[in-house]
Amino acid sequence: MSEEVVNELNTESNASHDELIIQQHREIEREISDRIQLVGPKESLSTLESEYKNDEIYRRKVQNLYGKYESIRRTRPDGNCFFRAFGFAYLEQLINKKDEYESFRELAKKSKDKLIALSFPQFTLEDFHDVFMEVVTVVGRGGNEANEQLYKMFNEQGYSDYVVVYLRLIASAHLQEKQDFYSNFIEGNRTVVDFCHQEVEPMYKESDHIHIIALSSALNVGVRVKYMDRGEASEVMAHDFPEDVASSTANIDVHLLYRPGHYDILYPTMPNT
């Protein structure tokens, strides 16, 4: 058999293998989509401990959360979990904070003009902004009705994904506005604009510290992330965003639990613990 034929067969084999991997990945995504809500109901923290009943390291870390947190709300692990968790957790907080809600609503209304000034396409942007403002308006009604409607909207793909897209655009805009600063944290030979186009704006791209810093800074919202990993320490370490939250006007309004590659929402036993 000639070398040319062998190479051709190898190429076909590799292509088939790649296609199989892609197919398996899509099947896993479909399974996740069928099994896990975009935003789940509140659950006792004990359900998380049960999940790790055979994993001593993680079980100890869940136990460390007791006293500080009482509930968890899971989000779909689809790469959008940070933005979806942030969006729901913060808007849920605003239902009972009328003054802060009005300030956020005004900021959200003006955000479209800022994005247009940064050359985001107006025609496409208006659709996302309109849906985002529709969700924000529901929050302003207050009370249980707003809470129920917000939960429903975040579990309808159309509304939920549009909110995620718009929050991604807000984070991107902030990074581009402050690109002289953020360029120091972009690895490789990419510009901040390149990074935003490749890692921030596209759906299903996972989030890292830079995404959290950008969104929390852009909206002046304090975020506390509890990091669960396989380190030997039993304490679950916390990281607050933005970096200067202690000296800023932002309160810690959003509490998230991070496990490798995924964010869920945590509910403190008392505010800001």
Side-chain angles (χ1 to χ4, degrees), residues 64-82:
N64 178 252
L65 294 173
Y66 286 128
K68 305 178 185 74
Y69 297 93
E70 61 183 9
S71 305
I72 184 171
R73 194 188 291 273
R74 301 171 192 267
T75 62
R76 182 176 293 175
D78 60 0
N80 296 316
C81 53
F82 163 68

Side-chain angles (χ1 to χ4, degrees), residues 14-30:
N14 289 337
S16 298
H17 182 65
D18 289 345
E19 183 60 36
L20 181 61
I21 290 173
I22 292 170
Q23 184 179 340
Q24 289 173 338
H25 183 64
R26 286 173 180 162
E27 287 173 358
I28 291 169
E29 286 180 337
R30 279 195 295 271

Side-chain angles (χ1 to χ4, degrees), residues 25-116:
H25 183 64
R26 286 173 180 162
E27 287 173 358
I28 291 169
E29 286 180 337
R30 279 195 295 271
E31 183 183 342
I32 289 172
S33 179
D34 292 340
R35 185 166 49 88
I36 301 177
Q37 291 177 263
L38 291 167
V39 175
K42 265 189 184 182
E43 302 174 25
S44 167
L45 208 58
S46 62
T47 63
L48 189 62
E49 186 178 1
S50 298
E51 184 179 329
Y52 294 115
K53 61 183 178 182
N54 297 320
D55 188 325
E56 184 60 26
I57 292 176
Y58 270 15
R59 193 172 65 83
R60 284 202 317 268
K61 297 203 172 191
V62 174
Q63 291 172 345
N64 178 252
L65 294 173
Y66 286 128
K68 305 178 185 74
Y69 297 93
E70 61 183 9
S71 305
I72 184 171
R73 194 188 291 273
R74 301 171 192 267
T75 62
R76 182 176 293 175
D78 60 0
N80 296 316
C81 53
F82 163 68
F83 286 96
R84 207 180 311 272
F86 175 98
F88 184 87
Y90 185 54
L91 290 174
E92 185 183 33
Q93 285 279 323
L94 292 182
I95 290 173
N96 299 311
K97 296 181 177 181
K98 190 65 177 175
D99 290 344
E100 191 175 336
Y101 166 77
E102 292 298 340
S103 296
F104 176 76
R105 187 172 183 274
E106 191 63 25
L107 185 155
K109 282 174 62 178
K110 293 178 179 177
S111 62
K112 182 177 73 172
D113 293 335
K114 181 180 288 189
L115 290 168
I116 291 170

Side-chain angles (χ1 to χ4, degrees), residues 9-273:
L9 288 173
N10 285 338
T11 300
E12 290 177 359
S13 176
N14 289 337
S16 298
H17 182 65
D18 289 345
E19 183 60 36
L20 181 61
I21 290 173
I22 292 170
Q23 184 179 340
Q24 289 173 338
H25 183 64
R26 286 173 180 162
E27 287 173 358
I28 291 169
E29 286 180 337
R30 279 195 295 271
E31 183 183 342
I32 289 172
S33 179
D34 292 340
R35 185 166 49 88
I36 301 177
Q37 291 177 263
L38 291 167
V39 175
K42 265 189 184 182
E43 302 174 25
S44 167
L45 208 58
S46 62
T47 63
L48 189 62
E49 186 178 1
S50 298
E51 184 179 329
Y52 294 115
K53 61 183 178 182
N54 297 320
D55 188 325
E56 184 60 26
I57 292 176
Y58 270 15
R59 193 172 65 83
R60 284 202 317 268
K61 297 203 172 191
V62 174
Q63 291 172 345
N64 178 252
L65 294 173
Y66 286 128
K68 305 178 185 74
Y69 297 93
E70 61 183 9
S71 305
I72 184 171
R73 194 188 291 273
R74 301 171 192 267
T75 62
R76 182 176 293 175
D78 60 0
N80 296 316
C81 53
F82 163 68
F83 286 96
R84 207 180 311 272
F86 175 98
F88 184 87
Y90 185 54
L91 290 174
E92 185 183 33
Q93 285 279 323
L94 292 182
I95 290 173
N96 299 311
K97 296 181 177 181
K98 190 65 177 175
D99 290 344
E100 191 175 336
Y101 166 77
E102 292 298 340
S103 296
F104 176 76
R105 187 172 183 274
E106 191 63 25
L107 185 155
K109 282 174 62 178
K110 293 178 179 177
S111 62
K112 182 177 73 172
D113 293 335
K114 181 180 288 189
L115 290 168
I116 291 170
L118 285 166
S119 301
F120 287 91
Q122 181 172 354
F123 179 75
T124 306
L125 188 63
E126 283 181 347
D127 285 342
F128 292 111
H129 183 257
D130 287 348
V131 173
F132 187 74
M133 291 306 302
E134 188 176 341
V135 176
V136 171
T137 299
V138 164
V139 171
R141 296 172 187 165
N144 290 334
E145 181 186 349
N147 220 317
E148 290 170 7
Q149 189 63 23
L150 181 68
Y151 182 72
K152 182 179 178 182
M153 284 176 144
F154 263 80
N155 277 293
E156 291 181 14
Q157 198 90 42
Y159 282 109
S160 197
D161 284 357
Y162 268 49
V163 170
V164 169
V165 168
Y166 201 72
L167 290 176
R168 284 182 176 276
L169 296 180
I170 288 174
S172 175
H174 179 80
L175 289 167
Q176 292 181 57
E177 279 187 311
K178 310 287 185 181
Q179 58 184 294
D180 287 347
F181 172 74
Y182 287 109
S183 61
N184 298 306
F185 305 99
I186 307 297
E187 295 180 352
N189 295 318
R190 291 184 291 182
T191 65
V192 170
V193 173
D194 289 338
F195 178 80
C196 288
H197 291 340
Q198 295 164 12
E199 306 293 341
V200 182
E201 295 165 19
M203 290 288 279
Y204 311 113
K205 282 286 189 176
E206 293 186 0
S207 302
D208 206 341
H209 279 199
I210 195 168
H211 300 74
I212 308 175
I213 295 169
L215 189 60
S216 61
S217 298
L219 299 179
N220 194 35
V221 176
V223 180
R224 175 166 296 162
V225 181
K226 287 282 190 172
Y227 287 89
M228 274 181 60
D229 56 27
R230 292 210 158 272
E232 287 301 317
S234 60
E235 183 179 358
V236 183
M237 301 304 294
H239 196 146
D240 291 347
F241 301 89
E243 301 288 343
D244 60 346
V245 67
S247 59
S248 76
T249 57
N251 296 314
I252 301 295
D253 285 318
V254 174
H255 293 255
L256 303 177
L257 176 67
Y258 177 82
R259 289 172 284 173
H262 184 63
Y263 297 86
D264 287 314
I265 302 168
L266 285 172
Y267 291 86
T269 52
M270 293 188 299
N272 300 325
T273 57

